[in-house]
Amino acid sequence: MNNSDLAQILIRAVEEADSSDRLLDAVQELAAAGIEESVPTLIAALGYNNPGAAVAAVDGLIAIGEVAVPSLLELIDDYNYSARAWAIRALAGIGDVRALDTLLEAAKTDFSLSVRRAAARGLGTLRWQQLPAEKVESVQTQVLEALLLISQDPEWIVRYAAVTSLETLAMSGDNPQSGNAIAVTLPEQASRITNQLQQILDTDADVGVRTRVKFAQQKIQQQQHQEMFAPKRKLEDTEVPEIPHRGGGRR
């Protein structure tokens, strides 16, 4: 059985499900298959009144990846707010730069704290390598400005997500999805991240957020330390080994 035949069988099971439990099982099986043809059905599942099925559909769409992005972006303007919220979660998980404007708007203005959280986290997993080289700096600056603002959100869980994304943005190559982040492309902006993290540590009322900031600071400092000593290690590795003196091997 090829993928197309399997997809049709699994899609039919979703469409014919006659109970919440059967719908959940069918969507989970369809999502687990990871077949591109299942994208429209998985997106439709985001609008069902079944949170479990929506979670499974989001996971499936994230696993399928970039090919799901255009259809997800079309859904954003749908009247169904619940489906829109799930779509934003999927876009955040995929990390495609085509979702940048949607994630920025959701992270800054959406009334749902869970949507703002997902969007804020998604801003830290954008795939910078998808952008033309000449646009990386301007887009990263835009994301940085947004995250600095979002890190002051009234809800602690959104601030927590912003801290996580600021950490990712500050670290070059630490996230394989992100490629080179601000530490490489905009080193002069990196201090704004470290300063903001310290300010959050000094002033945030939530212990969970402060603990997450400490972890971020440790990771950033660890990378800076490694980069500082990397040139020295590279030089040592390339030094010419000592040549034994003539006759050194004789007894």
Side-chain angles (χ1 to χ4, degrees), residues 183-197:
V184 169
T185 56
L186 296 169
E188 69 280 3
Q189 296 277 17
S191 62
R192 298 183 66 192
I193 296 178
T194 55
N195 291 342
Q196 182 72 3
L197 291 176

Side-chain angles (χ1 to χ4, degrees), residues 30-49:
L30 181 62
I35 302 172
E36 183 176 339
E37 292 177 54
S38 67
V39 167
T41 304
L42 291 175
I43 289 178
L46 301 179
Y48 299 156
N49 187 24

Side-chain angles (χ1 to χ4, degrees), residues 34-148:
I35 302 172
E36 183 176 339
E37 292 177 54
S38 67
V39 167
T41 304
L42 291 175
I43 289 178
L46 301 179
Y48 299 156
N49 187 24
N50 189 318
V55 169
V58 167
D59 290 342
L61 290 165
I62 291 173
I64 291 170
E66 297 177 12
V67 297
V69 171
S71 297
L72 283 167
L73 289 173
E74 290 177 6
L75 180 64
I76 293 302
D77 295 327
D78 193 275
Y79 66 92
N80 186 332
Y81 175 78
S82 177
R84 177 180 180 275
W86 288 115
I88 289 172
R89 290 179 174 88
L91 289 169
I94 294 170
D96 193 291
V97 295
R98 289 173 291 180
L100 173 64
D101 291 340
T102 296
L103 294 177
L104 285 171
E105 180 182 1
K108 292 188 287 187
T109 66
D110 200 281
F111 70 85
S112 167
L113 67 89
S114 62
V115 172
R116 296 200 307 277
R117 171 186 177 273
R121 187 67 189 91
L123 291 173
T125 57
L126 291 171
R127 302 173 185 267
W128 303 117
Q129 64 269 29
Q130 292 180 332
L131 288 169
E134 66 273 13
K135 291 187 177 181
V136 172
E137 292 185 8
S138 63
V139 173
Q140 286 186 340
T141 300
Q142 187 180 9
V143 170
L144 173 60
E145 296 291 349
L147 288 172
L148 293 175

